[in-house]
Every structure is written in structure tokens, then in C-alpha cells.
């Protein structure tokens, strides 16, 4: 085994070594200024002058470096750019008009009251998380008067933001549901297929985005879901589709609902932007509530990362709406068995903040005001960008900028145009043409408009 | 009939990839049942036997197979009904706007069995439900002060005051807080560790000890798919769940000696020797959970030596550094011995107990590599495993850890507080043993003070534990494990008396 490892090392050394030294230089640049990159000789020498175990070598010696995350790679490149004009429209985290991250006032207040309460302890939460948080989260997404909640048909567990909720839901389905296929829209958030594959499901796809209209390919969606095997799971973005910003209309949602119910397809909602898309929590939950109202079952992954700005605290919830309270009870007990071998119980801090806010009418109201302000700023940026392009007479139809909703806009720009904008105008965005509207402000918007205009007219 | 056939075909076409049946569960569940059978009447035995049979036959099959078996039993009415509905649905080439009521007549999850309660956390649930004023909780391993109250360390409160309102809550990088990782590595590998200087350690922030073990198990599965994990007997129950869900096959190695209530060193060495070269072993770095039995320094050296000649991989689960002896450096001794001997180790660290950060889920997984290049590669792959689980780890606990360990004053305070916790527990061990000896117990209780850390493996049987619970309202896990953290000067006498009563 050891010889095999070393043989593999020698043959693949140059490729992986080049990639690795690049990565090491990246990490060195951001971590410690005094770090020097490793040269070929040093690498070879370090291989020789090892610990006594060198004869055996590491059992992980043939592990190759993983490719960089495409979205986070944008920020890495942005950080290296020395131009004062650079604009980061890559990762989807909200920025103020001044380009700064934002901690909501209501969150600061909640945190302070938690810190100042001497009776608070940091004991383990139950496996299912903070009970009050779970109840309030379910009410938030399904509506306080939801029949599913009143009939105790909802099993809700606290999870690590949207990702964690999707993963726990996926693993539960892989263990207890009779279908393994999950239908995912094209395009979707890059992490979706990985989450479901690791959970033990089989990602399939359905058409969603139409590049020619830069809107919804409704006919394609209907065709693909009509052809899906009965009982398949269908992933739906509740609102503010990531990365396109293209959402079905309420009428289209109703048609989607009927289609799914007619074919017994199981809906799995991902709600990462409730309140953040339109500014109204109820409006952004419309699609979900439509499905719950017909009495059927569904899964719902909720995230508080964006709408409460709790990104790094990893706060979210998975709800499974069941046919009966009895089933919901059993489902909850099985969810515990998925969670326990993953991380035992969820982190306390973020959920406590959310519960503090949601349970207090004053704080809740304050939150809705701050949330609407964030959503409004983004909507105004959309309008301004559209106006700027119109004023420049940039060729093409740019109305999708104001038709799309949420944090992202799928501009329709291609890879070459994006590379051009990065080179010439220091605009950093993902190569699929997605821009994070949250990164725009009145200062850098003209530059973006210039860049788009130049890219479209010269390429 | 045609519709029926269509439905049968659709069942066959389902993805048949089944996860392996949980065979080890059979041995864990069936054995305790057999040992208590002799206490029951004939008819009770028969009922139990039949129930057991049904349950064990269920256990032979995976969850998915059981779903199929149940479906086949209820085939008649349900299937015919569904066949009728599905035939209508498949005959439609286009969706037709209809009344809109969900076609699905029954729950998709109706077959889901209620899961068994977690053996450890279920104890606290039962305790909370007990109205007796005398009740004592020596079940779950969370520290209590001498008044039986949970504790938030002063250094933690101060760290929180500094954090709140001053920092944003942006996403951490996928691998977590680099500052926290740096401090965690210094604690485990030594302040001046060359491995840290040479950047040879691949490390990521993890969700406490559980998350660190799970990440390692997933990593092991992905990069060494033919490997297995050797787990000590007994161990923290969740260890088995973790490697099972990661789909890594498990073996066990002997550890605890029931007669001496100490370490079964010769069997341990034998099992290490008999395992195939290059096997993966899970070792408790200090304060073994649940027994509290640790190898001596000499024994650790012998184990390390044997590991070297067998080329085994040691994964250290260190959940109690500082909490066992009161001195973090001393508690890391086993790890340092292995490092000195040149092993390339893995280490799962938790700050749940030693910093009292339980609910914050703060931990770290590290893997010592041959060189910096490899460490970079391994870390990048560990991040890839965290991404589809939770994207990036929670920030709050990490900030507390790095604030405390990164500030000399706060670190000094922490060291004092952790020693205080360890000393109180050691004191309670002494008192409990003295009380039992004073009561004239014929049994030997020296294992109470020989064992170390939060737990004492009392040696009591499940029946004796049940008596403690039913007659004395004392709550603990049925394997006889006492959480010493729950023992106080207020209840140690009552506890000693009860133990004496059920064991004399």
C-alpha cells in the first residue's frame, strides 16, 4: 500500500504540485505576509527530510487538492486586485449603501439582552433544537393561522441554516422515502446537487431558466415534471430563485401545484429569502402556503442567513408537513436519528437571537421594517441599473433586471464578456453572468453600467 | 390488472441501492434482552420473546426493505386504490386544471416507525418528568457546580461581552475560523509544536466533537473506502452511529476489564496486534467515556510502539482536555507520546466541556500530514465534506474560543476555572468512595477514584440501575455510568446510600 502511494506521488507530482503551490501562495497571501511560497526544490527536499514515519508515509498521501469553490474564488481574486475602483458582485451577502456588511439593529438588541441575562446557560440544546424557535419558525413560513400548524401536523427541527436543513431533509428522505430521485431546477445554487448526493439522493434536473427570454421556461418546466416518475421529489425555490432571480407568477405557482399533486410528486421547498425578495414576509411565502393549503405533504428548508443577517451563526429550520399529527411525531423522532450522528444538536446562539426577535411583537415589527429597507435598497438598485443602461442606449432588452427578484440578477452576459469586465473595469462576478445586487451602491453603479455597455458593444 | 402491473413495475424500477443492514444493532439490542429474561414469569417471557422475534426479524432487513415488507402486507386495498389513481394520472398527457385537492390519499410517511429514544439524552428527559424532590440526575455529561447548577465560565462571559456588537456575523470561510483553529492546534499539539510551524497539520473547525468525528468518518469513507474503524468496548454510544451513517464498517477492540473495573491491557494489545496492518483506531485521548479508565503513561508508550510496528492510524477523540486532571498539557500526554514516536495522527477536539460551550458546538478536526502540500490538499478536501453538510461552521462559539485562548489574561482565567471544575469532580470521587466504605459496603469501590474524568463506571447492572431510578429517583444510563459532574456535597450521601442499598 505504501509503495503504491509513493508511486502515485511521483507520477502526479508536477500537476498537483503546481496547483498546490498556487493555492499555497493564495493562502500565504491572505494569512501571513511573511510566508514564502514553496519552490520545487523545497518540495522535493521536504519529501526527503521527514519524520521517522517517512518510510510508511501518510495514508492520505494521494489525496489531491479539491478545486476551489467557484463563488468564493471570485472573492479571492477580488481581494488580490489593487485597483481602488474594484467592485465585488460575487458572493450573496447583503451590503449597505456604503458597501459594508450589516448587523440589523434588532439583532444587536436581541444579542445584548441575551448577554446581559445572567440566568442564561449554554447547555446542549435538544437534538431537535430550541423548541420555541421551531414553533416560531414554522409560524413564520406557514402563517400563524395555518391549518397544518393548528392540527399539529408539522414536524420542525432546528438545523444549520439552509444548507443544514436541506441535508437533514435529504438524508431523512433517503432513509424513509420510497423514491431516490430529486428534481432540481436548471440552473440552481451550486451546492444543491452536492448536498443531495451526499444525503444519498439522486439529483435529476428540470428546465427552469430560458436564456432567450431571461425568464421562466414554463413550458419546459411542465414537460420535465410531467415526465418525472411518480413520487419523485421536486426541489422548489420558494422565492427569489438563486441564481436567476426568476420566479413563477402566482398563477404559474398554482399550475405547478396542481401538476405536482396530480403526479404525487413530493415538493421540497428551499426558502432562503423570505421577506428579502419583495419586502413582505407573507408575500414571499405565498408559494409555500399555496401547497400547504391543499392539505398535502411537503418539506421546507428555511434560512435566516440573509433576512436576519445571521449568516455565520448558521440558523435555519427544516419543517416536514405531514398528513397527520401521529405521522409528524414519528417523523420528528426519526429526524433525531439523522441529526445525532452528524453533530448531536444544533448551535444555540443564532436560534436564541431569532426566538428573541420573533416572540416579541415590538422586535418583530422592528425587524420587518429593517428587512423591507434592505429589500427596497436592492429593488432601487435594480431600477437604477436599468435606467442607466437605458440612458446609455446599451443594445438589448434589459427589462429582466427589474423583472427578476431578490439578491441576484442573471444578466445574460457570457463568460467572455464577464472576463472583459473583470479585466478592464475591475468588476468581480461569477462567470455565469450572475451579479449580486447587494454589492451595488450609487457610487459603483455607474461603473457597472459602463462596464456592461462596453462589454456588450465591443464583444 | 394492467394498472396493477404497471405499479408493480414501478416498484421494481426504484433505485435498489440499499445501505447495509444494521447488523451490529442486533447484537447490541438482543443481548440485554436475554440477560433480563430470567427475572420474568413464563408468560411474560413468551410475550417478550415474540416481540423480540418480530423486532429482530425486522432488524435483519434494512429500513427500506422493511418499508417494502410492510407495503406487501397491506398490498390489497391500498395498492388497488393507488393503481386506480395512478392509471388516471398517467393516462393524462397534459396536466388539467382540476379542483386542486391533493390527490395523495394517505401520508407518504405513514410507514415511518417511531425511533427509539437516545439512551443518554432520554435519561434527562425522564429526570425532568419526575416530580420527586429527591431526584438526582447523574445521567448526561454536562458539568454542574456544587449546587447542582449549570455553569457559564467567567472567561466565557467576558469573551461574549467583548464579541457582542463589535463584530459582524458574516460567513466564516468553509474551513472555519483560522484564529480558532490556530489556538486549538496549539492546545492539542503543544504551543511550540514544530508541526504547527511547518504547517503540516490539516485542520478545520468542526461542530464540536461529534462533528469532528463525523467529518473524519466521511473523509475516511471517501479517500480510503476499503478501510474500517476499530472502536473500543465500551465507548460513547454515538460513535457507532457516526461511522454507521458515514457507511464505514466497524470493528471493536477490547478495552474495559469488568472484573477489575480497569483497563484490560493484555486483551487491548492482543486486539491491536491481530488487526490487519494499517487499520484505523479510535482512541480516547483522556478520560475515557463512559468508563473513566485511561491507560497509564507507560501503557500509552507500549500502545504507541505496537501501533508503529503495525502501521495503524490513530484517531484521538479528545473531549476532556483539561477537564480530566485539571492540566491540559497533562491530559494531552497520550497524543504527545504518539507525536514523539512519529505517528501521523488525527485528532477530534471539543470545547463543549472544558470551556462549558456545550450548545455552541465548537470543535476542531485535525490531521497531521507528511508535509505542507499534503496538509493543504487534505484541508481542502475536509472543507468539501463540510460544504454539503452545513456550508460553513457557526461563528459564535469559534469567536469565544479564539478570544479566550488568544488573550493571555483570559487564558489564565480559563486554566484556573477548568482546574476548578476538575478538582471538584476529583473531590466528589473521593467523597463518594469514602461514604460507600463507611457504609460498610462489602464491594471494592477503589475504581471510583482510580477512574478519571466526568464519568465513573460503577459496575452496577441494568437491574440495579433500574432500582436506583424506580426506588430512589436517581437517573443515570443503564450501563451503570455515573456522571460525577452531577454529584454534589448535597446529594453524595443520598447517592452513596442508594448505591449501597442496591448492591449489598
Amino acid at each position: 500500500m505504501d509503495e503504491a502511494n509513493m508511486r502515485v506521488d511521483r507520477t502526479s507530482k508536477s500537476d498537483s504540485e503546481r496547483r498546490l503551490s498556487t493555492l499555497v501562495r493564495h493562502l500565504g497571501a491572505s494569512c501571513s505576509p511573511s510566508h514564502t511560497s514553496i519552490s520545487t526544490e523545497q518540495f522535493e527536499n521536504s519529501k526527503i527530510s521527514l519524520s521517522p514515519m517517512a518510510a510508511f508515509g501518510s495514508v492520505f498521501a494521494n489525496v489531491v487538492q479539491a478545486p476551489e469553490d467557484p463563488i468564493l474564488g471570485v472573492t479571492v481574486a477580488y481581494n488580490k486586485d489593487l485597483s481602488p475602483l474594484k467592485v465585488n458582485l460575487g458572493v450573496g451577502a447583503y451590503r449597505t449603501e456604503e458597501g459594508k456588511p450589516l448587523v440589523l439593529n434588532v439583532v444587536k438588541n436581541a444579542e445584548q439582552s441575551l448577554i446581559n441575562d445572567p440566568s442564561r446557560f449554554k447547555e446542549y440544546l435538544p437534538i431537535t433544537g430550541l423548541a420555541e424557535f421551531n414553533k416560531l419558525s414554522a409560524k413564520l413560513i406557514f402563517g400563524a393561522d395555518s391549518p397544518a400548524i393548528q392540527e399539529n401536523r408539522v414536524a420542525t427541527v432546528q438545523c444549520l441554516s439552509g444548507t443544514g436543513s436541506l441535508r437533514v431533509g435529504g438524508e431523512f428522505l433517503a432513509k424513509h422515502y420510497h423514491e431516490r430521485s430529486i428534481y432540481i431546477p436548471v440552473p440552481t445554487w451550486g451546492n444543491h446537487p452536492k448536498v443531495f448526493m451526499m444525503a444519498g439522493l439522486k439529483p435529476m434536473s428540470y428546465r427552469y431558466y430560458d436564456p432567450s427570454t431571461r425568464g421562466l421556461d414554463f413550458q419546459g418546466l411542465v414537460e420535465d415534471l410531467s415526465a418525472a416518475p411518480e413520487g419523485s421529489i421536486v426541489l422548489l425555490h420558494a422565492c427569489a430563485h438563486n441564481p436567476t432571480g426568476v420566479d413563477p407568477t402566482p398563477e404559474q405557482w398554482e399550475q405547478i401545484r396542481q401538476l405536482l399533486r396530480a403526479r404525487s410528486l413530493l415538493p421540497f421547498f428551499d426558502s432562503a429569502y423570505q421577506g428579502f425578495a419583495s419586502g413582505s414576509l407573507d408575500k414571499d411565502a405565498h408559494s409555500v402556503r399555496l401547497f400547504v393549503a391543499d392539505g398535502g405533504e411537503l418539506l421546507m428548508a428555511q434560512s435566516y442567513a440573509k433576512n436576519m443577517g445571521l449568516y455565520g451563526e448558521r440558523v435555519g429550520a427544516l419543517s416536514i408537513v405531514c398528513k397527520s399529527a401521529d405521522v409528524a411525531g414519528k417523523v420528528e423522532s426519526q429526524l433525531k436519528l439523522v441529526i445525532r450522528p452528524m453533530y448531536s444538536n444544533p448551535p444555540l446562539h443564532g436560534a436564541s437571537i431569532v426566538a428573541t426577535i420573533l416572540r416579541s411583537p415590538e422586535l418583530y415589527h422592528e425587524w420587518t421594517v429593517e428587512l423591507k429597507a434592505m429589500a427596497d435598497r436592492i429593488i432601487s438598485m435594480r431600477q437604477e441599473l436599468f435606467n442607466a443602461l437605458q440612458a446609455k442606449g446599451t443594445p438589448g432588452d434589459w427589462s429582466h433586471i427589474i423583472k427578476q427578484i431578490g439578491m441576484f440578477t442573471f444578466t445574460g452576459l457570457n463568460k467572455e464578456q464577464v472576463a472583459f469586465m473583470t479585466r478592464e473595469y475591475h468588476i468581480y462576478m461569477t462567470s455565469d453572468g450572475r451579479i449580486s445586487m447587494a454589492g451595488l451602491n450609487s457610487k459603483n453603479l455607474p461603473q457597472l453600467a459602463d462596464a456592461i455597455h462596453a462589454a456588450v458593444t465591443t464583444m | 390488472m394492467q394498472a396493477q402491473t404497471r405499479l408493480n413495475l414501478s416498484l421494481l424500477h426504484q433505485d435498489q441501492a440499499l445501505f447495509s443492514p444494521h447488523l451490529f444493532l442486533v447484537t447490541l439490542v438482543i443481548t440485554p434482552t436475554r440477560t433480563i429474561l430470567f427475572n420474568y414469569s413464563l408468560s411474560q417471557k413468551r410475550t417478550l420473546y415474540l416481540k423480540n422475534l418480530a423486532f429482530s426479524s425486522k432488524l435483519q432487513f434494512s429500513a427500506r426493505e422493511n418499508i417494502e415488507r410492510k407495503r406487501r402486507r397491506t398490498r390489497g386495498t391500498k395498492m388497488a386504490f393507488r393503481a386506480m389513481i395512478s392509471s388516471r394520472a398517467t393516462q393524462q398527457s397534459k396536466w388539467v386544471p382540476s379542483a386542486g385537492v391533493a390527490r395523495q390519499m394517505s401520508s407518504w410517511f405513514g410507514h415511518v416507525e417511531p425511533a427509539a429514544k437516545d439512551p443518554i439524552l432520554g435519561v434527562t428527559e425522564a429526570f425532568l418528568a419526575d416530580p420527586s424532590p429527591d431526584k438526582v440526575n447523574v445521567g448526561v455529561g454536562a458539568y454542574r457546580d456544587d449546587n447542582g447548577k449549570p455553569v457559564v465560565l467567567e472567561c466565557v462571559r467576558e469573551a461574549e461581552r467583548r464579541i457582542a456588537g463589535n463584530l459582524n456575523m458574516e460567513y466564516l470561510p468553509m474551513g472555519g475560523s483560522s484564529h480558532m483553529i490556530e489556538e486549538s492546534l496549539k492546545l492539542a499539539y503543544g504551543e511550540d509544536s514544530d508541526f504547527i510551524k511547518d504547517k503540516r497539520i490539516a485542520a478545520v473547525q468542526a461542530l464540536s466533537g461529534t462533528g469532528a468525528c463525523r467529518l473524519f468518518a466521511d473523509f475516511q469513507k471517501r479517500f480510503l473506502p476499503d478501510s474500517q474503524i476499530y472502536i473500543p468496548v465500551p465507548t460513547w454510544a454515538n460513535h457507532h452511529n457516526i461511522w454507521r451513517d458515514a457507511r464505514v464498517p466497524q470493528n471493536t477492540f477490547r478495552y474495559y476489564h469488568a472484573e477489575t473495573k480497569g483497563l484490560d491491557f493484555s486483551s487491548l494489545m492482543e486486539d491491536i496486534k491481530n488487526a490487519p496492518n494499517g487499520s484505523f483506531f479510535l482512541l480516547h485521548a483522556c478520560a475515557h467515556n463512559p468508563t473513566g479508565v485511561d491507560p497509564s503513561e507507560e501503557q500509552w508508550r507500549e500502545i504507541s510502539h505496537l501501533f508503529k510496528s503495525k502501521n495503524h492510524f490513530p484517531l484521538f477523540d479528545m473531549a476532556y482536555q483539561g477537564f480530566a486532571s485539571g492540566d491540559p498539557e497533562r491530559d494531552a500526554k497520550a497524543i504527545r507520546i504518539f507525536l514523539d514516536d512519529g505517528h501521523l495522527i488525527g485528532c477530534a477536539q471539543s470545547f463543549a466541556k472544558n470551556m462549558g460551550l456545550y450548545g455552541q458546538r465548537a470543535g476542531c478536526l485535525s490531521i497531521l500530514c507528511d508535509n505542507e502540500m499534503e496538509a493543504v490538499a487534505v484541508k481542502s478536501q475536509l472543507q468539501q465534506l463540510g460544504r454539503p453538510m452545513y456550508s460553513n461552521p457557526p461563528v459564535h462559539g469559534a469567536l469565544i474560543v479564539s478570544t479566550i485562548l488568544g488573550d493571555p489574561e483570559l487564558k489564565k482565567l480559563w486554566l484556573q476555572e477548568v482546574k476548578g471544575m476538575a478538582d471538584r469532580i476529583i473531590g466528589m470521587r473521593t467523597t463518594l468512595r469514602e461514604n460507600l466504605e463507611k457504609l460498610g459496603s462489602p464491594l471494592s469501590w477503589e475504581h471510583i477514584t482510580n477512574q478519571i474524568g466526568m464519568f465513573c463506571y460503577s459496575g452496577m447492572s441494568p437491574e440495579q440501575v433500574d432500582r436506583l431510578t424506580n426506588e430512589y429517583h436517581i437517573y443515570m444510563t443503564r450501563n451503570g455510568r455515573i456522571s460525577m459532574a452531577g454529584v454534589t456535597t448535597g446529594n453524595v450521601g443520598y447517592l452513596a446510600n442508594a448505591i449501597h442499598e442496591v448492591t449489598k
Side-chain angles (χ1 to χ4, degrees):
Chain A
M1 179 188 86
D2 313 307
E3 277 181 283
N5 284 347
M6 299 212 267
R7 242 184 279 129
V8 169
D9 271 346
R10 282 197 202 101
T11 50
S12 62
K13 194 169 62 177
S14 52
D15 266 47
S16 51
E17 180 217 348
R18 246 184 287 118
R19 271 184 284 128
L20 286 177
S21 30
T22 313
L23 187 61
V24 163
R25 259 181 278 121
H26 278 298
L27 293 179
S30 53
C31 294
S32 60
S34 58
H35 171 82
T36 50
S37 59
I38 292 193
S39 67
T40 321
E41 300 86 59
Q42 280 179 303
F43 175 74
E44 290 193 282
N45 288 340
S46 69
K47 266 251 158 221
I48 296 166
S49 62
L50 278 180
S51 65
M53 287 299 287
F56 289 122
S58 165
V59 289
F60 304 117
N62 58 348
V63 168
V64 287
Q65 177 218 327
E68 252 192 54
D69 187 283
I71 300 172
L72 301 176
V74 170
T75 300
V76 169
Y78 169 84
N79 286 335
K80 287 172 63 194
D81 189 332
L82 301 168
S83 160
L85 302 167
K86 59 182 181 176
V87 183
N88 189 356
L89 302 178
V91 77
Y94 182 80
R95 293 285 176 268
T96 61
E97 171 65 24
E98 293 75 35
K100 298 263 176 295
L102 175 67
V103 179
L104 301 186
N105 276 329
V106 77
V107 167
K108 282 195 200 133
N109 292 339
E111 213 184 16
Q112 270 309 321
S113 66
L114 290 172
I115 306 273
N116 294 335
D117 181 0
S119 68
R120 265 199 77 245
F121 297 106
K122 304 194 179 321
E123 297 283 287
Y124 291 123
L125 282 176
I127 301 176
T128 48
L130 194 58
E132 196 193 5
F133 165 85
N134 291 338
K135 285 199 168 50
L136 292 166
S137 294
K139 282 212 192 105
L140 183 66
I141 186 70
F142 298 122
D145 52 356
S146 170
I149 294 181
Q150 284 165 357
E151 293 159 21
N152 286 318
R153 293 191 283 115
V154 184
T156 306
V157 293
Q158 181 192 338
C159 293
L160 279 100
S161 208
T163 311
S165 307
L166 292 165
R167 174 63 177 268
V168 170
E171 286 215 11
F172 171 81
L173 291 174
K175 283 195 165 92
H176 298 284
Y177 189 62
H178 63 95
E179 270 295 329
R180 283 293 164 80
S181 305
I182 179 160
Y183 281 77
I184 296 180
V186 177
T188 193
W189 180 48
N191 206 18
H192 273 143
K194 294 185 211 159
V195 170
F196 293 119
M197 263 192 303
M198 284 301 286
L201 296 176
K202 194 166 69 163
M204 310 284 287
S205 63
Y206 64 91
R207 280 168 285 170
Y208 189 84
Y209 178 70
D210 186 350
S212 54
T213 61
R214 293 176 194 161
L216 182 63
D217 180 1
F218 191 60
Q219 192 53 39
L221 180 154
V222 166
E223 273 173 31
D224 288 350
L225 291 183
S226 301
E230 275 211 3
S232 302
I233 311 158
V234 180
L235 180 73
L236 301 162
H237 295 226
C239 69
H241 180 272
N242 176 1
T244 67
V246 169
D247 283 349
T249 63
E251 296 73 37
Q252 289 173 325
W253 270 121
E254 169 61 16
Q255 289 166 356
I256 294 171
R257 182 195 67 76
Q258 286 176 16
L259 168 60
L260 260 58
R261 294 312 195 193
R263 295 196 48 74
S264 300
L265 302 173
L266 180 67
F268 196 154
F269 278 97
D270 185 355
S271 169
Y273 301 98
Q274 188 190 3
F276 204 95
S278 69
S280 155
L281 289 158
D282 289 323
K283 193 156 161 225
D284 288 345
H286 173 79
S287 60
V288 178
R289 298 184 187 177
L290 202 63
F291 276 73
V292 175
D294 69 13
E297 297 181 319
L298 57 87
L299 280 82
M300 151 62 59
Q302 246 174 312
S303 165
Y304 289 94
K306 287 86 170 172
N307 61 11
M308 268 205 202
L310 290 174
Y311 306 96
E313 302 291 346
R314 319 309 295 126
V315 203
L318 170 73
S319 291
I320 303 187
V321 178
C322 308
K323 273 282 175 178
S324 71
D326 181 53
V327 171
K330 292 192 273 193
V331 163
E332 189 185 293
S333 73
Q334 289 291 348
L335 286 171
K336 287 187 200 172
L337 296 193
V338 170
I339 293 170
R340 177 64 158 150
M342 228 191 260
Y343 50 82
S344 282
N345 40 71
L348 169 64
H349 193 67
S352 309
I353 294 175
V354 173
T356 305
I357 294 171
L358 293 184
R359 83 163 79 99
S360 149
E362 294 82 35
L363 291 179
Y364 180 87
H365 175 75
E366 223 186 287
W367 173 49
T368 58
V369 169
E370 287 190 83
L371 185 52
K372 186 166 192 312
M374 288 196 288
D376 284 349
R377 194 182 91 68
I378 288 185
I379 292 169
S380 73
M381 286 295 105
R382 288 183 177 278
Q383 193 63 51
E384 274 190 43
L385 181 61
F386 174 73
N387 294 345
L389 291 172
Q390 292 290 85
K392 285 179 135 40
T394 311
D397 175 10
W398 297 98
S399 60
H400 56 283
I401 294 181
I402 42 178
K403 281 194 217 146
Q404 291 167 5
I405 191 169
M407 200 181 279
F408 302 110
T409 294
F410 233 37
T411 53
L413 297 163
N414 62 39
K415 267 208 310 250
E416 291 75 33
Q417 290 166 325
V418 170
F420 171 84
M421 285 167 55
T422 307
R423 245 184 5 253
E424 309 292 327
Y425 288 84
H426 306 278
I427 307 280
Y428 289 85
M429 53 196 275
T430 47
S431 56
D432 56 4
R434 181 191 90 162
I435 52 175
S436 168
M437 302 307 291
L440 280 176
N441 51 56
S442 43
K443 276 193 237 23
N444 60 26
L445 192 140
Q447 184 182 338
L448 176 65
D450 289 342
I452 294 178
H453 185 86
V456 167
T457 49
T458 62
M459 308 217 52
Chain B
M1 270 302 111
Q2 200 197 359
Q4 192 99 11
T5 322
R6 204 178 282 155
L7 214 71
N8 292 343
L9 283 177
S10 79
L11 279 175
L12 285 173
H13 286 159
Q14 282 167 34
D15 190 346
Q16 290 294 303
L18 299 170
F19 298 141
S20 53
H22 312 315
L23 286 173
F24 76 89
L25 266 181
V26 177
T27 40
L28 282 180
V29 173
I30 301 301
T31 319
T33 313
R34 282 215 194 97
T35 58
I36 63 173
L37 271 177
F38 66 85
N39 278 338
Y40 290 79
S41 75
L42 200 61
S43 61
Q44 281 174 320
K45 272 195 234 178
R46 194 175 49 111
T47 322
L48 267 175
Y49 174 78
L50 289 172
K51 271 196 185 159
N52 201 22
L53 200 64
F55 188 49
S56 66
S57 77
K58 205 183 269 182
L59 282 178
Q60 291 170 38
F61 303 98
S62 73
R64 299 197 78 231
E65 283 171 305
N66 279 324
I67 293 168
E68 283 313 306
R69 291 169 72 228
K70 193 167 183 180
R71 280 176 142 240
R72 274 178 241 134
R73 282 200 300 273
T74 58
R75 176 167 276 191
T77 39
K78 252 196 207 167
M79 288 314 188
F81 194 50
R82 281 201 189 140
M84 189 176 68
I85 295 173
S86 81
S87 69
R88 270 199 228 131
T90 51
Q91 271 155 30
Q92 294 172 331
S93 54
K94 260 196 214 163
W95 55 265
V96 173
S98 62
V101 174
R103 290 280 205 156
Q104 174 198 353
M105 289 299 152
S106 56
S107 169
W108 284 124
F109 306 114
H111 62 278
V112 170
E113 303 283 341
K117 278 206 188 294
D118 186 282
I120 300 171
L121 303 176
V123 170
T124 300
E125 279 182 37
F127 168 81
L128 290 171
D130 186 331
S132 161
D134 298 324
K135 62 181 181 178
V136 175
N137 186 359
V138 281
V140 77
Y143 182 78
R144 296 280 177 275
D145 64 14
D146 201 42
N147 297 315
K149 295 271 172 287
V151 169
V152 178
L153 302 186
E154 253 321 297
C155 59
V156 169
R157 286 210 194 275
E158 175 54 30
E160 272 202 317
R161 279 191 282 266
R162 295 186 195 181
I163 295 166
N166 284 336
L167 299 158
N168 60 51
M169 291 164 168
E170 296 284 284
Y171 291 125
L172 281 175
M174 263 193 290
S177 155
S178 49
H179 192 190
M180 182 231 190
I181 292 169
E182 218 179 284
E183 294 296 337
S184 303
L185 293 183
K186 287 202 302 214
L187 202 58
Y189 293 80
E191 282 278 331
D192 303 308
S193 165
D194 281 332
F195 305 120
I196 298 178
K197 288 204 192 83
D198 296 341
K199 299 184 192 279
R200 283 177 52 192
I201 308 175
V204 293
Q205 182 189 336
L207 289 154
S208 208
T210 310
C213 286
R214 176 59 179 266
L215 270 186
F216 184 84
D218 281 348
F219 181 75
Q220 186 185 351
K221 176 68 184 177
R222 182 171 275 186
F223 291 98
L224 289 151
D226 299 327
S227 66
Q228 303 181 330
I229 185 83
Y230 281 78
I231 296 183
V233 178
T235 193
W236 180 50
N238 205 26
H239 277 143
H240 293 293
N241 300 334
I242 291 170
W243 269 270
R244 179 204 64 216
D245 272 23
R247 283 170 267 144
V248 173
Q250 306 176 26
N251 280 307
T252 55
F253 64 93
R254 285 168 291 175
Y255 189 86
Y256 179 69
H257 200 216
E259 284 84 68
T260 58
K261 300 188 186 69
L263 184 65
D264 188 353
F265 188 59
S266 51
S267 303
L268 168 81
M269 294 298 271
E270 206 183 305
D271 288 351
I272 293 173
K273 193 149 50 123
N274 291 338
N277 285 8
S279 295
F280 282 69
F281 276 78
L282 174 71
L283 302 170
H284 295 227
C286 63
H288 180 272
N289 176 1
T291 67
V293 169
D294 285 349
S296 67
E297 193 175 314
E298 273 324 298
Q299 288 172 325
W300 272 123
R301 289 194 194 283
E302 287 190 52
I303 294 169
S304 169
H305 197 76
L306 184 54
F307 261 62
K308 254 174 92 175
S309 59
K310 296 286 298 181
N311 194 27
H312 288 330
F313 182 96
L315 172 69
F316 283 98
D317 186 352
M318 185 154 67
Y320 299 99
Q321 187 184 10
F323 205 94
S325 70
D327 176 5
E329 283 300 296
R330 200 165 140 201
D331 289 343
K333 192 66 190 168
I335 290 180
R336 306 291 169 81
I337 287 172
F338 272 68
L339 290 173
D340 285 341
D341 286 351
H343 291 283
L344 298 174
I345 68 166
C347 181
Q349 274 172 283
S350 164
F351 291 96
K353 287 85 169 172
N354 60 9
M355 266 197 205
L357 292 178
Y358 307 97
Q360 306 295 353
R361 320 311 294 128
C364 179
L365 170 68
S366 54
I367 297 178
L368 176 60
C369 302
D370 273 329
N371 52 61
E372 180 177 350
M373 290 293 181
E374 191 187 295
V376 165
V378 168
K379 176 172 172 147
S380 75
Q381 293 292 356
L382 289 172
Q383 288 176 180
Q384 287 292 312
L385 290 163
R387 179 66 158 148
M389 214 189 281
Y390 44 79
S391 281
N392 37 68
V395 64
H396 192 72
L399 282 176
I400 296 177
V401 173
S402 56
T403 303
I404 292 173
L405 295 181
D407 176 324
E409 285 303 309
L410 280 183
K411 182 168 180 183
K412 206 167 108 187
L413 177 58
W414 172 61
L415 288 170
Q416 283 168 3
E417 293 189 276
V418 83
K419 184 168 194 311
M421 291 195 286
D423 285 348
R424 193 185 89 67
I425 287 185
I426 292 168
M428 284 297 104
R429 287 183 178 275
T430 311
T431 311
L432 180 62
R433 174 182 167 182
E434 278 171 1
N435 279 18
L436 281 164
E437 286 168 352
K438 266 198 227 125
L439 285 166
S441 172
L443 306 167
S444 163
W445 295 102
E446 59 174 31
H447 56 282
I448 295 182
T449 45
N450 286 343
Q451 292 166 4
I452 192 170
M454 201 181 278
F455 302 112
C456 164
Y457 226 40
S458 60
M460 289 188 285
S461 66
E463 300 75 58
Q464 290 168 327
V465 171
D466 287 342
R467 279 192 64 195
L468 281 180
T469 308
N470 297 330
E471 296 172 34
Y472 296 91
H473 307 277
I474 294 174
Y475 290 82
M476 52 198 279
T477 46
R478 288 185 89 237
N479 54 8
R481 182 192 89 164
I482 300 174
S483 171
M484 294 308 296
V487 180
T488 67
T489 48
N491 64 26
V492 65
Y494 178 76
L495 181 64
N497 185 58
I499 292 176
H500 177 61
E501 289 299 317
V502 306
T503 55
K504 64 183 181 186

